[in-house]
Amino acid sequence: MTAGLRTAWGVPDAEWTGLGALFAAAEVLFQKAQDEAERTHVITVECQGAFKALTAKMRFFRDRYFKMPPLTEGDWAALGFRAKDPHPTPAPAPDGVPAVSLSYPGGPHTLTAHLGPMAGTRELAPESDYGYAVYLGIMPSGGATLEQAASDKHYLMKPPAEGKGLLHYRFTRRRKEKLLFDAEDAGMTVYVCCRYENRKGEAGQWGPVASAVIP
C-alpha cells in the first residue's frame, strides 16, 4: 500500500508500521517451522501465536479502514479482497467425529498422525467438517511434577480422558501430519486428539485420544 493510499484511506503510519512488524515476525517463525532442523514444539506454538496476532491486526485494518464507502469496489479489488457474496453458502456446525492414530515413520523424535472419520461414522461433509484441529499433550513417565506442568510445554500430570485441556497444535486439512518433538521429550508419552472445524472456525465433537511413546 502506497503512502498516498494510506493517507487517502486514513491509515496512521504507526498502525501500518505495527502491521509490518507483525508480518515480519510471523514470516520468520513460519520459516523456522518449515525447517525440520529448527522446528520444535515451542517454535510451532510461537508460530501459531504470531499468525493469530497478525490475523487479528489484519481484521482490525479491515474493520477500521477498509469500509465501502468510502472505499470503492475498485479499491476493494486493489486490496485483494473478494466482493461480498450476496448469496453466501451456509457453513453448518461440525457434526462428524474424527479419529487419530499414530505411527513411527522412522527418525528420532518423530511420529506421524493419521486423521480421518471415526470408524462407523458417516462420510465427511465438506461444508461442516472442513478440517482438523489437532491437540496434543506430553506426559513424562509417572506424570509431570508441578514445575513441569507449569512450564511452557505444560507437561501432563496424568493421562487425559478427552481432548479438552490438551494444547492446540495446529489446524490442517491433510489426512497425515508429521509431529516433531524436542530431544528432551524422547521416552515420554504423547497424547493426541482432534475435532473437526468448519470454515468459520467452529469446532465439533472431540474424537478419541490416541497415545504413543516419543522415540
Side-chain angles (χ1 to χ4, degrees):
M1 185 191 302
T2 65
L5 286 178
R6 294 201 301 272
T7 300
W9 296 342
V11 179
D13 289 341
E15 291 289 357
W16 180 249
T17 301
L19 176 64
L22 289 173
F23 178 84
E27 186 175 33
V28 169
L29 286 167
F30 178 75
Q31 293 301 325
K32 289 183 177 180
Q34 296 300 302
D35 187 341
E36 293 190 7
E38 288 196 69
R39 181 169 56 184
T40 65
H41 179 61
V42 173
I43 290 293
T44 299
V45 172
E46 289 178 346
C47 184
Q48 291 170 346
F51 272 90
K52 285 181 181 178
L54 178 60
T55 300
K57 192 68 168 180
M58 292 172 69
R59 285 174 176 161
F60 170 83
F61 264 71
R62 181 194 61 190
D63 296 339
R64 182 67 60 88
Y65 307 116
F66 301 151
K67 294 290 188 182
M68 291 194 302
L71 269 63
T72 66
E73 291 187 1
D75 293 331
W76 197 251
L79 287 166
F81 296 143
R82 290 181 296 180
K84 188 173 182 180
D85 186 354
H87 306 291
T89 302
D95 60 359
V97 182
V100 57
S101 62
L102 301 172
S103 66
Y104 295 91
H109 328 311
T110 305
L111 290 167
T112 298
H114 304 270
L115 309 167
M118 195 164 70
T121 61
R122 61 166 180 74
E123 290 297 317
L124 301 183
E127 299 81 9
S128 57
D129 306 324
Y130 180 68
Y132 303 91
V134 182
Y135 298 76
L136 63 78
I138 301 171
M139 190 180 77
S141 178
T145 64
L146 288 174
E147 182 178 4
Q148 288 175 316
S151 69
D152 291 341
K153 291 187 177 181
H154 300 287
Y155 287 111
L156 301 173
M157 301 181 74
K158 60 181 181 180
E162 58 180 9
K164 186 177 181 180
L166 297 178
L167 294 176
H168 182 265
Y169 182 69
R170 69 175 55 153
F171 173 84
T172 182
R173 299 195 68 202
R174 293 191 292 264
R175 298 288 292 268
K176 187 165 66 173
E177 281 288 334
K178 182 180 290 187
L179 309 180
L180 301 177
F181 302 92
D182 296 336
E184 64 186 12
D185 298 331
M188 298 185 186
T189 301
V190 62
Y191 295 88
V192 183
C193 189
C194 62
R195 53 184 178 174
Y196 286 119
E197 285 189 2
N198 64 13
R199 292 176 182 270
K200 297 189 292 185
E202 297 173 330
Q205 301 179 60
W206 290 105
V209 179
S211 65
V213 175
I214 299 171

